[in-house]
């Protein structure tokens, strides 16, 4: 935001519309990621016309660039959005949506019983009020007595996963046009390996530490990611499954995106999730 001197319009620039806390309370961040205010709440500015345009560029959305830019513009305390935890980014996106378009968010979903499309209105404030904090690291103990602590995904990792997913979907679509069946199978396997490798990377990234007691009675704690990777490549699959479950639990914390709709045709009550994803920005208001 470059500002010139003596612009008579300066008094009319946007001002913060709300102040929000985030699920992690900022505890994972140094000052070069988030400049944490003494009030413990981040000021949220509404989007500018330029921000809105950025949010409508599908390429920028895909690699996370749009979200990163808009967060830096609307939440000036945030210096490096990619280094933040995904739960916090979700919260900031909702707050920006509220600061820009107001409190109401349209929710649309088909009835699971009769397929009728129902629409409801969720509240940004309501969502933010129901936020569940990410407290300390989440940990569990393996049958061999190792204590494994897990941390939530960085926004960076979430983008990486989304991008890989997109690439796979696209190459699987292209595969259908390959005539030779053996070629098709080979390409399919390669794709599968890429995804499996990426999921493994995400698991390694999410493990904060592994601690236990060695055979000669010494307590140890391992935080080195190369050591953690090697362990995960050589331990039983059940350990990986338990880590994945822990990751799923911790990534679910944060704002409550669940919303109940009642069908206007058959009166069935069903649950849906509020889509606060950036794509929704362009259709909001
Ligand atoms: Zn229905």
């Amino acid at each position: 935001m470059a500002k010139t001197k003596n612009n008579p319009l300066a008094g009319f620039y946007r001002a913060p519309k709300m102040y929000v806390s985030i699920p992690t309370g900022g505890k994972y961040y140094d000052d070069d990621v988030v400049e944490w205010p003494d009030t413990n709440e981040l000021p949220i500015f509404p989007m500018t016309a330029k921000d809105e345009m950025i949010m409508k560029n599908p390429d920028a959305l895909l690699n996370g660039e749009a979200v990163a830019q808009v967060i830096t513009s609307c939440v000036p305390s945030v210096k490096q959005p990619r280094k933040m935890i995904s739960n916090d980014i979700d919260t900031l996106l909702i707050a920006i949506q509220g600061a820009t378009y107001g409190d109401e968010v349209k929710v649309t979903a088909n009835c699971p019983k009769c397929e009728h499309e129902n629409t409801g209105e969720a509240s940004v404030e309501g969502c933010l009020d129901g936020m569940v904090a990410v407290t300390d690291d989440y940990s569990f103990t393996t049958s061999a007595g190792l204590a494994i602590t897990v941390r939530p995904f960085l926004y960076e990792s979430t983008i990486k996963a989304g991008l890989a997913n997109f690439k796979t979907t696209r190459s699987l679509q292209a595969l259908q046009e390959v005539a030779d069946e053996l070629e098709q199978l080979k390409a399919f396997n390669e794709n599968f390996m890429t995804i499996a490798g990426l999921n493994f990377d995400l698991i390694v990234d999410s493990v904060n530490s592994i601690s236990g007691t060695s055979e000669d009675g010494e307590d140890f704690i391992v935080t080195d990611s190369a050591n953690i990777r090697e362990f995960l490549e050589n331990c039983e699959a059940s350990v990986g499954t338990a880590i994945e479950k822990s990751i799923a639990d911790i990534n679910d914390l944060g704002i409550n995106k669940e919303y109940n709709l009642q069908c206007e045709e058959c009166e069935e009550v069903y649950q849906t999730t509020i889509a606060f994803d950036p794509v929704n920005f362009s259709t909001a208001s």
Side-chain angles (χ1 to χ4, degrees):
M1 271 185 293
K3 282 177 190 158
T4 51
K5 266 187 197 167
N6 305 326
N7 186 341
L9 299 173
F12 297 88
Y13 295 166
R14 59 185 175 154
K17 279 276 172 65
M18 54 169 100
Y19 295 82
V20 299
S21 54
I22 52 177
T24 63
K27 66 164 173 262
Y28 293 99
Y29 312 128
D30 295 334
D31 268 359
D32 57 343
V33 177
V34 181
E35 268 174 16
W36 200 253
D38 294 334
T39 56
N40 278 332
E41 291 189 322
L42 301 172
I44 311 285
F45 290 72
M47 288 198 278
T48 62
K50 190 179 156 202
D51 295 336
E52 277 194 317
M53 271 182 260
I54 291 171
M55 282 306 237
K56 286 175 185 165
N57 175 352
D59 289 335
L61 273 180
L62 196 62
N63 63 25
E65 194 46 43
V67 168
Q69 278 196 40
V70 167
I71 285 184
T72 329
S73 158
C74 298
V75 196
S77 314
V78 172
K79 303 301 168 197
Q80 295 187 69
R82 286 163 189 274
K83 301 281 179 211
M84 289 179 79
I85 305 284
S86 277
N87 313 49
D88 288 339
I89 295 288
D90 277 355
T91 306
L92 293 180
L93 284 176
I94 292 180
I96 293 171
Q97 174 152 343
T100 310
Y101 301 113
D103 189 54
E104 282 170 359
V105 184
K106 221 165 129 195
V107 186
T108 307
N110 289 347
C111 171
K113 231 176 170 181
C114 74
E115 304 270 292
H116 180 74
E117 191 186 88
N118 296 290
T119 303
E121 264 173 11
S123 149
V124 167
E125 289 282 352
C127 258
L128 293 172
D129 284 347
M131 188 185 329
V132 180
V134 178
T135 51
D136 289 317
D137 293 319
Y138 284 68
S139 67
F140 65 95
T141 308
T142 69
S143 53
L146 290 173
I148 300 187
T149 63
V150 171
R151 60 178 169 225
F153 281 162
L154 288 182
Y155 183 55
E156 223 164 40
S157 307
T158 311
I159 297 169
K160 220 160 74 177
L163 208 55
N165 241 329
F166 174 78
K167 277 188 192 150
T168 314
T169 314
R170 261 219 314 226
S171 39
L172 287 180
Q173 277 161 359
L175 262 184
Q176 290 168 349
E177 284 147 33
V178 179
D180 184 88
E181 274 186 23
L182 264 181
E183 278 298 311
Q184 231 183 40
L185 190 64
K186 197 177 139 215
F188 182 80
N189 282 334
E190 276 168 12
N191 240 309
F192 184 78
M193 294 306 285
T194 311
I195 289 294
L198 185 100
N199 282 336
F200 186 74
D201 287 350
L202 287 176
I203 292 176
V204 175
D205 283 350
S206 301
V207 174
N208 205 23
S209 71
I210 304 180
S211 56
T213 310
S214 68
E215 281 168 5
D216 38 1
E218 293 273 324
D219 287 343
F220 63 83
I221 177 160
V222 177
T223 53
D224 180 80
S225 76
N227 286 346
I228 290 172
R229 170 176 290 271
E230 196 181 289
F231 164 73
L232 290 173
E233 280 167 349
N234 291 288
C235 69
E236 284 174 33
S238 62
V239 176
T241 313
I243 295 174
E244 277 179 297
K245 199 196 158 286
S246 236
I247 294 172
D249 289 346
I250 198 170
N251 286 331
D252 264 356
L253 297 173
I255 30 169
N256 182 9
K257 292 191 228 174
E258 278 155 8
Y259 186 81
N260 282 329
L261 275 170
Q262 182 169 31
C263 182
E264 37 188 24
E265 292 291 317
C266 74
E267 298 193 340
E268 170 87 355
V269 176
Y270 59 102
Q271 199 173 60
T272 181
T273 48
I274 310 164
F276 284 114
D277 54 276
V279 183
N280 209 37
F281 271 82
S282 46
T283 54
S285 84

